[in-house]
Amino acid sequence: MGRQPVLTMTTISKTFPGVRALDSVDFRLFPGEIHALMGENGAGKSTLIKVLTGVYTADSGVVALDGQQVSFTGPMQARAAGVSTVYQEVNLCPNLSVAENIFIGREPRILGAINWRELRRRARALLARLELDIDVTAALGTCSLAVQQMVAIARAIDIQARVLILDEPTSSLDSSEVAQLFRIMRQLQNEGIAILFVTHFLDQVYEVADRITVLRNGRLVGEYPTAELPQLALVEKMIGKELDALERLDEQPKRELAAVEASTPLLEAAELGRKGSVAPFSMTIHAGEVVGLAGLLGSGRTEVARLLFGADRPDHGRITMDGSPAAIRTPIAAIARDIAFCSENRRIEGLVGELSVRENIMLAMQAARGWTRPIPRRRQDELVRKYIDALSIRPADPEMPVRNLSGGNQQKVVLARWLITEPRLLILDEPTRGIDIGAKAEIQRLVVELSDGGMAVLFISAELEEVLRLSHKVAVMRDRRMVTQLANDDTLDADRVMATIASGASS
Amino acid sequence: MSEVRTRLAAASGQRLFWPLVVLVVLIAANTAYRPSFVSIEVKDGHLYGSLVDIVRLSAPLILVALGMTLVIATGGIDLSVGSVCAIAGSMACLHISQAADQNSLSTLFTALGLALGLALVAGAWNGLLVSVIGIQPIIATLILMVAGRGLAQLITEGQIITINSDPYRVIGAGYWLTLPVAILIAIAVTLLIAVLTRRTALGLIIEAVGGNAEASRLAGIRARRITFLVYVIAGICAAVAGFMITADVSSAAGSTAGLWIELDAILAVVIGGTSLAGGRFSLSGTLIGALIIQTLTTTVYAMNISPQTSLLFKAVVVIVVCLIQAPAFRARFARRRPPATPTVAAAPQKEQVPA
């Protein structure tokens, strides 16, 4: 790599109240490379990107584009200079059309008025380049999250970008969409665009990235060619210690399904369904049992969870708990029956961003007690302290607004909220999505502990390995229908689940 | 020196810092214009002075604004509070005017009870439209803002009801323990709402609903019930404000009592640092906001600013208050000034990069 870097960041430091987010970090990016930025939650990846694009101003350090020092005052200016970003959470307007979203702020104009025909034509052409077949006049909100992500990328690459930053672009995509994205990334790479790629999926890094920069606790660990850094070494550099927790989980013998299901089911759903959401399904969950829910994105996994929690009202079928009928039509009814639900969409359906960590953790318990019976402050502090320690939520400041926390720590806050209510059934929808491997191992270990302690867990994840590692039983979803339920014995592996998902038949 | 600066910087980060600064500046400006402005004296066992007047006159606004704070914290708004003031004031005055003995206490309490009951219904109506039927708050309360004004005029039959009731007059113009009763009532209601929201979990629940309604629902909060409740509280606060306004002049005019007070109340809430988007609210901020608005009104009169320009003057001050409170504006303003300690990034001039 004898060329000049297109982008260099030198000794960047950034401090937030109470957090040293970046400490003298160096970073460089060469034209035509895909460069993975790796690190655990809170390592400083997002902060580094925000400093680069001008969302934050660095306390010290130099950013240079083509050898010239730059200091962007905001994403618009960065974009004009050729640095485009696609963020982890889609930041587009769901009420506008796909075409409008792509061209917001730079619509083609005739005499000052927007040239709608040209705008739609260019949007179509751009999406054709990404081989996406979408109605450009449809409101973006009607598209799936994955399509919205693709539109965000289309928006970013339309501008004559020289540096493209993809912050967790794959966290909501299924495998074929990921492949499509990678094809586009390689195409852009050949055009000489430098791509900064942030992800938590290690396999994806090794599939596309040329080089890897690792951050840990706001410090630079190092910069490595991908070929010279084995996966295990990368994980060690990210965590700073050897991690064999996942391996240990694998070695633990799982209890037999028959033994787990010997008692009366804790919850039994009979022909439960909702039109336009998920076809009627039947399943049982026993105390101490982990039921995995596998399937592609949009296959109806989340919809099953929402029906069981009463977040959506079922229009078909019954739920029985402890052998007697249970009408669960609202979250309040579900919570009263000791069911807890961690949504996959923690920013919209989980947290109240401006409230503190403590307030977010106490919310469900307080809601169950009613507002007239406040939980004494001392008891709150005790509980919150206990769960901040138990789940190692960082920073360990109960009074910090929860929106200042990184994704993984936010996830732990939602978990803590439900754990203090001591539920009998815990529904986890993608609890490990978009969080780093250390936190992921902690959450998986927690699930095992909780189920050993008698809690029933419905575990939803796009990662089959994870589902197989934890579940006693795996329910497979396809096209909003529960196609089969498989006992997780020695004969079940990822390939067989994958084949079931693909064929839609119970094998 | 540097320690003072860091302390000042820490203080300016506090939410109430800027509203307090504005209030102090307003009072200082008045004092410079007329030094007797800050003097408070005791006459006939009552406290007298411009500052006492300001607090007394702002009492109705404080009450309305406190109710408005809770409504706004849930992400709503209540435009009907001015009309509810008029309805409650008119109802109370009507009942008293028809009584044989206008000075009897039982008449007074029946009048207040009737009027409060009416305000309760008004608040419940708003709450019903917003929380159960799901109409957007601005439209739902606009209905009662318009209709309520008409209702108040029906009660007064388009006339001004004049009453001659000493006990009722006390609410708006009386004194107790040297202090105006209106101020005492305002303090009592403020404390009551503070206890209601901060000693129970009501405040937290309101902030959760306003901050993220869907997340709150999934956490098991009965958001509808809470939304309903805050509109009822706002209605009751408005009724008490209506008593003060009509008692102060011993008469009720359905068309003018509490006219436009909802706008001043919204302004007070915003100046106090509660976001119109809902979520975190500050009762003390609202208190200061209401005092700023009343001080401003008094300033306009005291400084003999001509009636033609007084509204403009008020508007300019409000714009300034809102701007210095806006973090984005302050950040831009701060960026223009050279930083205290030059950093590596800031030392060379910024370079524009060709796109």
Side-chain angles (χ1 to χ4, degrees), chain A residues 57-62 65 68-73 77 80-81 162 306 309-312 331-332 335 341 343 347-352 354-356 359 362-364 366-368 370-372 374 417-418, chain B residues 15 196 198-205 207-223 225-226 229 275 277-280 335 343-355:
Chain A
T57 309
D59 297 339
S60 65
V62 181
L65 199 61
Q68 280 188 308
Q69 189 180 342
V70 291
S71 172
F72 300 127
T73 53
Q77 208 190 350
R162 289 184 304 154
R306 289 181 65 91
F309 186 64
D312 293 329
I332 293 166
I335 293 164
F341 172 50
S343 163
R347 198 179 51 138
I348 294 171
E349 296 176 354
L351 297 163
V352 185
E354 61 179 332
L355 294 189
S356 68
E359 288 166 320
M362 299 313 298
L363 206 55
Q366 184 64 68
W371 63 266
T372 51
R417 169 193 297 171
W418 290 115
Chain B
R15 264 212 297 198
L196 188 66
R198 297 304 185 196
R199 290 285 155 185
T200 71
L202 185 63
L204 170 68
I205 302 279
E207 288 176 337
V209 170
N212 189 338
E214 180 61 10
S216 302
R217 185 178 83 92
L218 292 179
I221 290 173
R222 298 169 196 272
R225 218 178 265 192
I226 296 297
L229 186 63
S275 163
R280 282 268 190 237
R335 207 171 279 180
T343 58
V344 185
Q349 278 301 305
K350 287 179 186 175
E351 280 181 61
Q352 281 293 328
V353 177

Side-chain angles (χ1 to χ4, degrees), chain B residues 316-333:
Chain B
V316 169
V317 175
V318 168
I319 290 171
V320 170
V321 175
C322 290
L323 280 180
I324 61 170
Q325 278 221 73
F329 179 81
R330 282 217 308 276
R332 180 167 294 187
F333 189 69

Side-chain angles (χ1 to χ4, degrees), chain A residues 225-498:
Chain A
T226 309
E228 292 170 22
L229 187 68
Q231 201 152 332
L232 193 64
L234 170 61
V235 173
E236 282 175 18
K237 288 189 191 310
M238 283 164 60
I239 314 184
K241 58 178 184 247
E242 283 193 44
L243 187 97
D244 52 1
L246 290 180
E247 282 73 20
R248 265 192 276 123
L249 276 184
D250 274 339
E251 286 162 13
Q252 268 179 10
K254 224 176 264 127
R255 283 165 292 148
E256 287 290 320
L257 181 64
V260 171
E261 298 208 326
S263 56
T264 319
L266 171 68
L267 180 143
E268 185 172 3
E271 289 298 307
L272 196 68
R274 179 183 159 93
K275 256 200 193 83
S277 169
V278 65
F281 64 91
S282 298
M283 71 187 300
T284 57
I285 306 177
H286 296 72
E289 182 180 29
V290 181
V291 178
L293 213 48
L296 299 177
L297 191 81
S299 61
R301 301 177 316 215
T302 299
E303 286 75 2
V304 167
R306 289 181 65 91
L307 282 186
L308 291 176
F309 186 64
D312 293 329
R313 208 171 270 227
D315 59 10
H316 196 277
R318 291 185 316 279
I319 296 179
T320 313
M321 281 191 84
D322 304 312
S324 54
I328 299 178
R329 298 177 177 280
T330 61
I332 293 166
I335 293 164
R337 291 175 182 279
D338 301 321
I339 302 177
F341 172 50
C342 295
S343 163
E344 64 172 331
N345 202 337
R346 53 183 172 256
R347 198 179 51 138
I348 294 171
E349 296 176 354
L351 297 163
V352 185
E354 61 179 332
L355 294 189
S356 68
V357 171
R358 173 179 57 82
E359 288 166 320
N360 269 287
I361 291 180
M362 299 313 298
L363 206 55
M365 187 188 239
Q366 184 64 68
R369 286 168 66 109
W371 63 266
T372 51
R373 293 171 56 219
I375 300 160
R377 182 58 187 264
R378 190 183 295 173
R379 174 110 182 90
Q380 290 191 26
D381 289 339
E382 256 170 43
L383 278 170
V384 169
R385 174 55 54 200
K386 181 176 152 201
Y387 278 92
I388 283 180
D389 291 346
L391 303 179
S392 49
I393 295 172
R394 295 286 171 274
D397 175 7
E399 299 310 317
M400 181 172 278
V402 78
R403 64 166 164 234
N404 292 0
L405 269 58
S406 65
N409 283 303
Q410 291 185 349
Q411 182 66 57
K412 291 183 199 166
V413 169
V414 178
L415 254 172
R417 169 193 297 171
W418 290 115
L419 291 181
I420 63 168
T421 65
E422 296 176 352
R424 288 192 296 155
L425 169 60
L426 177 64
I427 304 172
L428 298 171
D429 191 359
E430 296 277 9
T432 61
R433 187 173 94 185
I435 71 173
D436 64 73
I437 187 147
K440 201 178 232 172
E442 279 171 31
I443 287 177
Q444 293 182 8
R445 191 165 45 226
L446 191 71
V447 169
V448 172
E449 280 173 19
L450 292 171
S451 73
D452 284 347
M455 195 184 290
V457 180
L458 181 65
F459 189 88
I460 304 176
S461 175
E463 284 182 64
L464 283 182
E465 292 75 18
E466 194 173 72
V467 172
L468 288 170
R469 184 175 298 134
L470 299 173
S471 313
H472 298 103
K473 177 166 86 178
V474 180
V476 179
M477 302 294 299
R478 179 192 155 95
D479 297 338
R480 298 182 176 268
R481 186 174 295 279
M482 192 177 287
V483 288
T484 184
Q485 294 177 35
L486 307 165
N488 190 7
D489 51 25
D490 294 340
T491 64
L492 192 67
D493 56 16
D495 289 339
R496 211 178 118 206
V497 176
M498 209 101 78

Side-chain angles (χ1 to χ4, degrees), chain B residues 296-320:
Chain B
L296 209 50
T297 310
T298 307
T299 307
V300 169
Y301 293 131
M303 291 191 172
N304 285 325
I305 294 169
S306 71
Q308 291 91 335
T309 54
S310 67
L311 283 178
L312 198 63
F313 172 78
K314 239 174 132 171
V316 169
V317 175
V318 168
I319 290 171
V320 170

Side-chain angles (χ1 to χ4, degrees), chain B residues 220-259:
Chain B
I221 290 173
R222 298 169 196 272
R224 279 185 183 178
R225 218 178 265 192
I226 296 297
T227 309
F228 185 84
L229 186 63
V230 293
Y231 283 94
V232 172
I233 294 176
I236 291 173
C237 285
V240 179
F243 299 153
M244 286 179 182
I245 293 168
T246 50
D248 195 21
V249 291
S250 278
S251 67
S255 56
T256 56
L259 193 63

Side-chain angles (χ1 to χ4, degrees), chain A residues 80-240:
Chain A
V83 179
S84 285
T85 314
V86 176
Y87 287 106
Q88 178 175 5
E89 316 272 8
V90 179
N91 284 322
L92 297 175
C93 309
N95 54 336
L96 297 184
S97 76
V98 170
E100 284 168 323
N101 266 297
I102 295 178
F103 289 103
I104 276 178
R106 53 205 163 83
E107 301 89 349
R109 286 168 190 274
I110 304 176
L111 301 173
I114 294 173
N115 183 351
W116 290 105
R117 187 179 305 205
E118 172 70 7
L119 184 142
R120 283 192 290 269
R121 191 190 62 73
R122 277 168 56 182
R124 267 185 218 107
L126 193 63
L127 292 174
R129 181 173 155 202
L130 300 184
E131 292 179 20
L132 283 172
D133 185 23
I134 308 167
D135 177 8
V136 297
T137 60
L140 187 73
T142 62
C143 303
S144 70
L145 206 59
V147 168
Q148 295 188 23
Q149 186 87 54
M150 299 301 235
V151 170
I153 291 166
R155 173 175 166 77
I157 60 167
D158 170 62
I159 306 153
Q160 293 310 307
R162 289 184 304 154
V163 174
L164 177 62
I165 301 165
L166 300 175
D167 188 358
E168 299 256 7
T170 57
S171 56
S172 56
L173 305 189
D174 65 29
S175 52
S176 75
E177 287 163 332
V178 168
Q180 196 176 8
L181 174 67
F182 285 175
R183 189 179 45 70
I184 293 161
M185 282 168 66
R186 293 203 185 90
Q187 187 184 331
L188 297 172
Q189 178 184 22
N190 290 336
E191 292 172 14
I193 293 177
I195 297 176
L196 172 55
F197 180 47
V198 179
T199 183
H200 284 300
F201 297 101
L202 298 183
D203 294 343
Q204 295 179 355
V205 171
Y206 283 89
E207 194 177 336
V208 288
D210 303 308
R211 283 188 314 137
I212 300 172
T213 291
V214 181
L215 298 182
R216 188 172 73 233
N217 293 334
R219 290 166 188 272
L220 176 72
V221 176
E223 181 196 280
Y224 316 90
T226 309
E228 292 170 22
L229 187 68
Q231 201 152 332
L232 193 64
L234 170 61
V235 173
E236 282 175 18
K237 288 189 191 310
M238 283 164 60
I239 314 184

